[in-house]
Structures are given as C-alpha cells and as structure tokens.
Amino acid sequence: MPTLNKIGTALSRSHHTPAPDPALRRLRVALTVFFAVDGFLFAGWVVRIPAIKAQVGASAGQLGLALLGVSVGAVATMVLTGRLCRAYGSERVTVATGVLLSLSIALPPRTHSAMALGLVLLCFGISYGGMNVAMNSVAVDLVAALRRPVMSSFHAAYSMGGLTGAGIGGLLAPHLSPATHLLLLTPIGLVAVGLAGRVLVAHPLRGQAAVGTVAGPPAAGEVTPPVPEAAQDPNPDSDPAAPASSPGAGQVTAEVTAEGAPPVSSRDASRGGKSAAEIRPSTALVAVFGLIAACTAYGEGALAEWGPLHIQQDLHGGPGIAAAGYACVTLAMTLGRLSGTALLLRLGQTRALVLGGLVACSGMLIGALAPAIPLVMIGFAVTGLGLANLFPTAIARAGELTGPSGVAAASTLGYGGMLLGPPSIGFLADAFGLPTALTTVSLLAAVAAGIAWATRHSGATA
C-alpha cells in the first residue's frame, strides 16, 4: 500500500547551496532511518498475509474487508495527526507513532477470525498513517532547511526498507510462523526508533510557515532553516511561490507547515492574483490530478496486499517465493524513485506520467495473467517501475496550479484509491478470481496515462 510517506516535493532555489549544518546532516540520517523502518515493518506484514489469511480462514472478500482496516485507520488519523503535530511537534509525534507501529506489527498473526483481524489492522493503520503524516511533515521542513531536493531520498529509503523486510520475510517464512516472525520485528523497530528518535527530538526543526520565515529567535536545541536567496527578494510584488526558471522548474516547491496547511501568504502567492473565474478551472484540474494519484495508490495497494497471495494461491508458490514477488516490486520502485528526478528533467512531467502509466498497465497484465511465476515476477517489477513516480508527479502538478492547497487536496483524493482498493479487489476476486481482479490495476494505470495526456495543455508545466 502506498504509504503517506509520498505527499511532499521540494526544490532548491539556489545553485550555490552552502554545506549543511552538522545538526541538519544528523537529522537527515535520523529521518531516513524512520522512513526505512516504516517500509521494513510494513513489508514484514505484507509478506505474511497469505499465511494469516489461511490462519483466520477468510475468503477473498472477507480478507478485503479486513485489509480495509489498515486504510481506514491510516486515512482517519490524518487530521488528528496534524493537530497533534501542531500541539506537540512533528518530531515527537513521529517517535510516538513509530513506537506504536513497532508494537502493533506483532498483533495481526495473533487473531483467529476475519473480524478480529480487521480490528487489529485498524490499530495498525492508525499508527502507520500517523507515522507517515508526522515524518513527512518533518521531511518537508528539513527539505526547506537544507535547500536541496532530497525528498526523493526519503521515499527511496522507504522502498529500500520494504525491500529488506520482504527479503528477510522470504527467508524466514519457510521456517518461522507468522506470529514468531512479526514478533521479532518489534524489538528491531523499537531499537531503530529509539536511536533515531533521540536525534530527531534533540534537534527539532522550527515549524516555519514558509521557507525563510523567521518567527523569533530559536529555542535551545532548535535548528532554524536558513533563509534561501529567493525568499530575500526585496520586491514585494514578486511571487515567492513561482517556480524557478531552471531545468527543474517543472516541479513544485512545497512551502508547507509541519501540519500540512499553507500559510496565508503562501496561499495568496500561489493564487498569483487570479480571478475567481481562473481559480475554478484550476481547482477542477487539481481534482483531475488527484484522480491520477488515486489510480496509482490503488495499484500500489493491490501489489502489496494481493500480489503475494496471487503467487501463493493461484500459482502455488511457497511463502518464500511469494515474498520474493513483493521484493521485486519494492526493488523496482526503489530504482524508479532514485532515477525519478533525472527522468522528469529529461522527459517532462506529462511524458513521465503517460510513460509510467503505460508501463504499469502492460506490466500488471503480465503479472496478473502470466501462467509462470518468473513471468509474474517480471510483470510485478515492471508495474512497480511504472508506478514509482506517478503519485509524486501528479501531486506536484496539482501544486503548480494552486500551490500547497492543491498538494493537500490531490493527496486526499489520492488516498481514496488506497481506501477503495483492498475491498474492491477482494469482492472482484470472489466473483471472477484474483487474476482477473488484479487486471483492474492495469485498467486504472491506463486511465491515469490517459488523464495525463488529455490534460497536457493545462496550466501545469508539461
């Protein structure tokens, strides 16, 4: 499933960025650990879904409803987490939810009915969603402080953590029960959260409303983001949210608070003095790009939660092979995200969206319908490669239209796909079989590509 760890994108405005402060370097390492732990723990759960399904005796439809608990918990906690970040600081909330996630990962294999599994997964989803919102809030502030486009490195850390978790899960699955395996992940998560959390809490970033906004002298131990040159423009009529005219200007600079809400000045700047008649079409286009994000989130969730089950149930692969299938997805997405910036600069956002959607469409047709496990794994990997940059690119295009408010709106729509995916696949699998149900990922990837092509002449940069 997609994680909330994909909602922010930021670009440096200066080509002459000074060396980062040592405290910022330590914060970046610590935050990278949190992203990796998030992916590692989630992958540990994903690769044991087939065994837990058999343990609770759930049908495909019942499993889909139980998996809905993760999505409902994650989405429902978004607003509450924002308030907690505002009250206690994003760093503290990140640590607290990291502890809860490490504890809740051990609960799913201790259930013996689909209903109990769904309730446990609701708790798991609350901690998972809360951690993603909080650590992404820290990441947005850190990107602004570093004045470097390092957000993709955090996303890649999540994917690498998922790859590691899937690999270890594949090795342990033939030898350990799901209960023992997931229980072993709890101390690993707690130790990592404890070590990285000490750094995160000791050096809190100031929750600046916008890049370069100074709200008084920093408190002891706080790291104050440096003021970028673009924020020092003496011309009051200039648009501080406008993208720079550099090769990376096709992306959006997300000036977002730790709670995800844009400051008044940033919101006004993002409108750039547009009339109400001009704002309405932009709002509609934000919804369109949110639909692209929803199609992508649907596919990522299907691969994570139903891909291993397809290999084990329909193709009779062992639990280790099923885990290897998810590892193929995470490896491909890691490579795709590490090369995402170069791809966007070379092709532009429209071509990158269209290409990604078409690649994911063809890959999932192979992954869903191929009769041999090696071909299915190749199909899964191709799908992961195609999906890797669709969600963040769609969110960036929404941000170009209406600023940070567009980012927030499109992200919310995007996670609707995550919410609807698990039960939809489950019900379709009961009616038509899991391979046929998984072809809906291909359909929605093609829809995303078509939307991107149809809106290529919109106000966003192509």
Side-chain angles (χ1 to χ4, degrees), residues 160-185:
M160 283 188 252
L163 177 61
T164 303
I168 293 176
L171 293 175
L172 296 180
H175 309 291
L176 295 179
S177 67
T180 303
H181 171 204
L182 297 186
L183 182 61
L184 290 175
L185 299 186

Side-chain angles (χ1 to χ4, degrees), residues 358-372:
L358 294 179
V359 168
C361 175
S362 59
M364 199 62 214
L365 284 176
I366 298 172
L369 303 177

Side-chain angles (χ1 to χ4, degrees), residues 14-116:
S14 172
H15 297 292
H16 306 288
T17 304
D21 183 271
L24 292 178
R25 288 198 295 268
R26 290 194 294 272
L27 280 172
R28 182 179 177 185
V29 171
L31 191 57
T32 299
V33 170
F34 273 97
F35 274 83
V37 167
D38 193 33
F40 177 79
L41 294 177
F42 185 73
W45 144 248
V46 163
V47 299
R48 302 316 298 257
I49 287 178
I52 295 174
K53 174 181 181 291
Q55 175 180 302
V56 301
S59 67
Q62 291 172 330
L63 179 64
L65 286 175
L67 292 174
L68 183 62
V70 179
S71 302
V72 170
V75 173
T77 196
M78 290 175 67
V79 175
L80 176 61
T81 303
R83 293 175 180 173
L84 291 174
C85 289
R86 184 163 54 248
Y88 301 105
S90 300
E91 294 84 2
R92 290 185 176 87
V93 177
T94 299
V95 174
T97 51
V99 171
L100 291 177
L101 184 66
S102 300
L103 295 174
S104 62
I105 188 65
L107 299 179
R110 302 186 181 279
T111 59
H112 299 283
S113 69
M115 179 177 293

Side-chain angles (χ1 to χ4, degrees), residues 38-458:
D38 193 33
F40 177 79
L41 294 177
F42 185 73
W45 144 248
V46 163
V47 299
R48 302 316 298 257
I49 287 178
I52 295 174
K53 174 181 181 291
Q55 175 180 302
V56 301
S59 67
Q62 291 172 330
L63 179 64
L65 286 175
L67 292 174
L68 183 62
V70 179
S71 302
V72 170
V75 173
T77 196
M78 290 175 67
V79 175
L80 176 61
T81 303
R83 293 175 180 173
L84 291 174
C85 289
R86 184 163 54 248
Y88 301 105
S90 300
E91 294 84 2
R92 290 185 176 87
V93 177
T94 299
V95 174
T97 51
V99 171
L100 291 177
L101 184 66
S102 300
L103 295 174
S104 62
I105 188 65
L107 299 179
R110 302 186 181 279
T111 59
H112 299 283
S113 69
M115 179 177 293
L117 178 62
L119 293 174
V120 163
L121 291 179
L122 181 67
C123 299
F124 179 75
I126 288 172
S127 58
Y128 178 76
M131 182 177 177
N132 274 268
V133 170
M135 70 183 182
N136 270 288
S137 296
V138 179
V140 169
D141 287 339
L142 186 54
V143 166
L146 290 169
R147 292 189 289 163
R148 296 178 59 197
V150 298
M151 185 66 79
S152 60
S153 69
F154 297 129
H155 297 163
Y158 175 89
S159 296
M160 283 188 252
L163 177 61
T164 303
I168 293 176
L171 293 175
L172 296 180
H175 309 291
L176 295 179
S177 67
T180 303
H181 171 204
L182 297 186
L183 182 61
L184 290 175
L185 299 186
T186 293
I188 296 174
L190 290 175
V191 170
V193 168
L195 294 175
R198 291 180 61 186
V199 177
L200 212 60
V201 174
H203 302 286
L205 285 163
R206 294 177 62 84
Q208 305 292 354
V211 178
T213 301
V214 180
E222 282 189 327
V223 180
T224 304
V227 181
E229 294 172 6
Q232 302 175 16
D233 187 354
N235 181 6
D237 297 326
S238 64
D239 182 2
S245 57
S246 64
Q251 301 182 44
V252 61
T253 300
E255 296 178 340
V256 195
T257 65
E259 296 78 28
V264 174
S265 59
S266 178
R267 187 184 297 110
D268 292 341
S270 69
R271 293 178 180 268
K274 292 180 181 179
S275 66
E278 292 172 317
I279 291 170
R280 280 193 292 269
S282 295
T283 302
L285 284 171
V286 166
V288 168
F289 294 131
L291 182 59
I292 295 177
C295 294
T296 306
Y298 180 99
E300 290 189 39
L303 281 170
E305 296 171 340
W306 292 99
L309 187 62
H310 171 54
I311 292 176
Q312 193 164 343
Q313 172 182 290
D314 299 320
L315 301 174
H316 309 294
I321 300 298
Y326 182 65
C328 289
V329 176
T330 56
L331 176 60
M333 295 194 79
T334 300
L335 297 176
R337 287 167 179 163
L338 289 174
S339 59
T341 299
L343 182 69
L344 288 168
L345 292 176
R346 183 174 184 85
L347 298 180
Q349 291 181 333
T350 294
R351 292 184 182 90
L353 284 170
V354 173
L355 178 63
L358 294 179
V359 168
C361 175
S362 59
M364 199 62 214
L365 284 176
I366 298 172
L369 303 177
I373 290 178
L375 289 176
V376 170
M377 289 189 173
I378 292 173
F380 281 4
V382 172
T383 307
L385 193 63
L387 293 176
N389 294 295
L390 285 184
F391 191 100
T393 304
I395 300 304
R397 292 197 68 175
E400 290 172 11
L401 291 168
T402 60
S405 61
V407 174
S411 296
T412 302
L413 289 171
Y415 284 103
M418 179 182 69
L419 186 67
L420 296 174
S424 299
I425 293 286
F427 293 142
L428 289 171
D430 269 347
F432 305 106
L434 186 52
T436 302
L438 287 175
T439 61
T440 58
V441 175
S442 294
L443 174 63
L444 291 180
V447 169
I451 293 172
W453 181 253
T455 57
R456 64 191 181 279
H457 299 308
S458 67

